[in-house]
Amino acid sequence: MRKPTVVLGILGSQMDIGGRNRWDRWRPTVDLCRHDDLIVDRLELIHGSSHTELAEAVTVDIAQVSPETRVRLHRLDFADPWAFEVVYAGLLDFVRAYPFRPDDEDYLVHITTGTHVQQICLFLLTESRYLPGRLLQTIPPARRDQGDPGAYALIDLDLARYAPIAARFAEDARAGESFLKAGIATRNAAFNDLIAQIEQVAGVTRAPILLTGPTGAGKTRLARKIFELKQNRHQIRGGFVELNCATLRGDAAMSALFGHVRGAFTGAVRDRSGVLKMADGGLLFLDEIGELGVDEQAMLLRALEDRVFLPVGSDREVRSEFQLVAGTNRDLRSDVATGRFREDLLARIDLWSFRLPPLRERREDVEPNLDYELERWSQRHGRKASFYGQARTAFLKFATAADAVWSGNFRDLAAAVERMATLAPGGRISVREVEAEIARLRAAWSGIAPHAGEDLLTRLLGREKLAEVDPFDLVQLAEVVRVCAAARSLSDAGRTLFAASRLRKRSSNDADRLRKYLQRFDLEWADIHPEDA
C-alpha cells in the first residue's frame, strides 16, 4: 500500500504570486500539485507574516487543481532571510518541532522556492536527516501550452562553501551522543561508535529499537536517554513508559500490556489501560522482552504492525501510536530456533539492534563511570564523595584488572560506590574502605572467580577424566569454563573468549567455535548451565 506523500516547502513570494493571469504563468508551489505521477497528499507550506494573503490564495488554487491535496500553512518569520545563521536556526527549530512519521509517510523537500540561503539550509537539514525525506526541485516548462506543469527532479548541491554551517550538525550530533551517555566521557572506541549509531538512528526513525546485552549493562538507562533526546528535539509528544516483561505472568501479562475491561476476569473490577495505550504518542520500553509468552508476542506484533490491539475481554479495538524500545539479555535467535520466541516478531523489532557490551569489555570506561557514580551519590546525599589518591589508585587497579569479573556490570560498580561513600567518614574514601569493598566483591563473585573454573571442571568431568588432560590444555579449559559460567549465553561467552580474533574475521560464529571447543572434552553448554537445558 502506498504511503502518503508529504511535501515541505517555502512559499515563493514572487514565483507563486497570483493575479488575474496567474493560470498563464508557471507557479512552482501550485504546479507541483499538478503532476499526474506525483500525488501530493499533504503540503506543509512555510510563509512569512507579510505573505499570509498570498499563502491563502495559493491554498485555494491548489484545491482547484488537486482536491486530494491538504495544505497546511505555517507562519515563520526570518529577521533576515539572507542570513545563514538566522535562517538555519529558524528552520531547525521548525523541523525539530514537526511530528515526522517516516515509517508511515514519505517526505519530499521542495527547494525551488524561497531564497538561496533558505534552499541551502533545507538541503543541509535533509542531508543531516533532521528532515527525513528526499530533495525535490521543480522545473518550469519550455512553453506554457495547455497548462504544462513542467517537470520535477532530485538534485544535489556543492556544500563545500558552507562547511561552517554543516559543522553545526556534527556539533549537534556530538551533543546528542554525550546526552545519551549521560555526559560520561567514555573512552571505549567500540562503545562510542555504538552510541553514535544510536544517536543517528533515534533522531530520524520511530521504528523499533532492540537493545541487547547482559543484565546491568545499561539498557534501561539508555532507553530513557533515547526518549529524553527525542523529547528535547520535539520528535515525540507522549511520555516514557517502562515495563519489565520478566515480572508478567498469566492474565496479568495480557492486562499489563494491553489493558482490560471490567469483568474480563476475576478481580477485574474496573477498566484498565495497559502500557501500550499509556505510551500512545511516546516511547514504550519493554525490558526482557524475551520473557513474554507466545500469546503476548502475537498481540504485540499486531500492535506494532497495525497500531491497534484488543484489551482483554473487549471486542473494541484500541489504537496507539508509540515507538518501541525493547531490551533483552537472551539470545533471541536461539529462542526462535527452539520455538520460544516468534520469528516474525523478532524480524519486526530487529531492524535496529544494538548490543551493549558488559563492563569487563569496557575496562577503560571504569574510571569515567566511577566519577559519574560519585557525582550521583553526592547529588542524592547532598554532600561530596571522593577518594584519597592512594585509595583511588588501588580501586582502579582492582577494577580494571583481568580477574575483575563484574558479573553485575554497572550495577556492581554503582553498588560499590554507594557502599564505599556511605561508610567513608565525611564521604572521603580511604584505602580501608577500598580494601573492604574489594574483599566484598571478590566474595560476591566467588562462584565465578578466576580459579572457580578448576573446581567446576572437577565437578563436570571428575578427577579421573581430568587426569587424562594435559596440564597445558587444562589451564585453557579451566578459563573457558569459568567464562562460560559467568556468561548469559553461548554467544556471550564466545564474544568474550574470541574478542580479538573475531575482529579480524569478515563474519564470525563465536557460539559455534566455542561449542566445538567444548565438544573436544565431551562438554556441552547445558553441562555448565543445567538451568538452560
Side-chain angles (χ1 to χ4, degrees), residues 142-459:
R143 298 176 57 186
R144 185 66 174 180
D145 296 343
Q146 299 178 348
D148 186 354
Y152 64 90
L154 297 175
I155 65 167
D156 198 356
L157 290 176
D158 179 10
L159 295 182
R161 293 176 55 195
Y162 311 106
I165 294 178
R168 289 193 56 177
F169 291 106
E171 293 176 8
D172 285 344
R174 285 193 293 270
E177 294 165 21
S178 178
F179 184 85
L180 290 176
K181 295 187 294 185
I184 302 173
T186 54
R187 303 163 185 169
N188 183 276
F191 180 75
N192 287 339
D193 289 343
L194 176 73
I195 292 297
Q197 293 178 36
I198 294 175
E199 188 276 336
Q200 186 176 5
V201 169
V204 298
T205 184
R206 288 178 59 83
I209 294 175
L210 178 62
L211 303 178
T212 67
T215 299
K219 297 186 290 294
T220 300
R221 185 171 71 182
L222 181 56
R224 182 172 287 278
K225 283 297 181 182
I226 290 173
F227 163 74
E228 293 174 356
L229 180 69
K230 296 174 78 73
Q231 188 179 51
N232 291 343
R233 293 177 175 178
H234 306 288
Q235 294 174 336
I236 202 164
R237 59 179 173 80
F240 178 84
V241 181
E242 174 188 353
L243 182 65
N244 189 326
C245 299
T247 65
L248 304 179
R249 294 290 184 274
D251 289 339
M254 285 289 193
S255 176
L257 288 165
F258 310 106
H260 65 251
V261 297
R262 179 181 178 183
F265 50 84
T266 303
V269 296
R270 57 179 177 272
D271 292 353
R272 174 188 177 183
S273 295
V275 293
L276 267 67
K277 183 58 181 176
M278 293 166 59
D280 189 19
L283 187 146
L284 173 62
F285 177 52
L286 292 182
D287 197 11
E288 305 302 347
I289 193 171
E291 302 300 325
L292 285 180
V294 291
D295 292 338
E296 290 82 8
Q297 292 175 32
M299 288 187 64
L300 177 61
L301 176 63
R302 189 195 173 204
L304 290 172
E305 292 182 337
D306 301 334
R307 312 291 186 183
V308 296
F309 57 89
L310 282 172
V312 178
S314 176
D315 57 3
R316 179 176 297 179
E317 291 181 337
V318 172
R319 185 169 189 83
S320 181
E321 301 275 350
F322 59 89
Q323 177 170 8
L324 175 68
V325 176
T328 183
N329 61 12
R330 300 184 63 89
D331 183 347
L332 294 184
R333 296 196 180 280
S334 295
D335 287 348
V336 167
T338 59
R340 184 186 178 111
F341 201 83
R342 291 180 63 104
E343 184 176 14
D344 47 6
L345 178 57
L346 179 59
R348 188 70 177 83
I349 66 175
D350 196 31
L351 176 62
W352 298 109
S353 179
F354 302 98
R355 173 185 174 266
L356 273 62
L359 182 55
R360 65 177 178 272
E361 293 180 16
R362 296 173 53 194
R363 298 186 188 276
E364 62 269 57
D365 286 341
V366 170
E367 185 171 14
N369 275 278
L370 178 65
D371 293 333
Y372 172 74
E373 295 299 341
L374 285 169
E375 181 61 29
R376 286 184 65 201
W377 189 94
S378 298
Q379 291 176 358
R380 287 197 304 270
H381 296 273
R383 55 192 179 96
K384 187 172 179 57
S386 62
F387 282 89
Y388 285 105
Q390 189 176 1
R392 180 183 179 91
T393 300
F395 185 79
L396 286 174
K397 181 180 179 181
F398 158 77
T400 58
D403 61 350
V405 179
W406 293 115
S407 56
N409 295 293
F410 293 94
R411 291 179 184 172
D412 274 359
L413 182 61
V417 171
E418 177 73 25
R419 287 189 291 262
M420 288 187 293
T422 300
L423 295 174
R428 292 297 303 275
I429 303 170
S430 69
V431 172
R432 178 180 178 180
E433 285 79 47
V434 168
E435 290 178 345
E437 183 59 32
I438 290 174
R440 184 181 292 109
L441 287 171
R442 288 192 186 281
W445 300 337
S446 60
I448 48 175
H451 300 293
E454 299 175 10
D455 296 334
L456 184 56
L457 269 181
T458 302
R459 178 162 54 85

Side-chain angles (χ1 to χ4, degrees), residues 83-85 88 117 120-121 124 161-170:
F84 276 108
E85 291 294 324
Y88 169 75
V117 173
I120 292 170
C121 288
L124 288 170
R161 293 176 55 195
Y162 311 106
I165 294 178
R168 289 193 56 177
F169 291 106

Side-chain angles (χ1 to χ4, degrees), residues 48 75-76 90-91 118 221 282 295 301 335 477 523 533:
R75 188 173 65 186
L76 181 59
L91 288 174
Q118 291 170 339
R221 185 171 71 182
D295 292 338
L301 176 63
D335 287 348
L477 180 58
L523 286 174

Side-chain angles (χ1 to χ4, degrees), residues 108-109 111 122-123 126-127 133-137 153-156:
L108 299 176
V109 182
I111 59 173
L122 283 178
F123 177 91
T126 306
E127 182 71 8
R134 294 171 292 165
L135 290 168
L136 178 71
Q137 183 181 37
L154 297 175
I155 65 167
D156 198 356

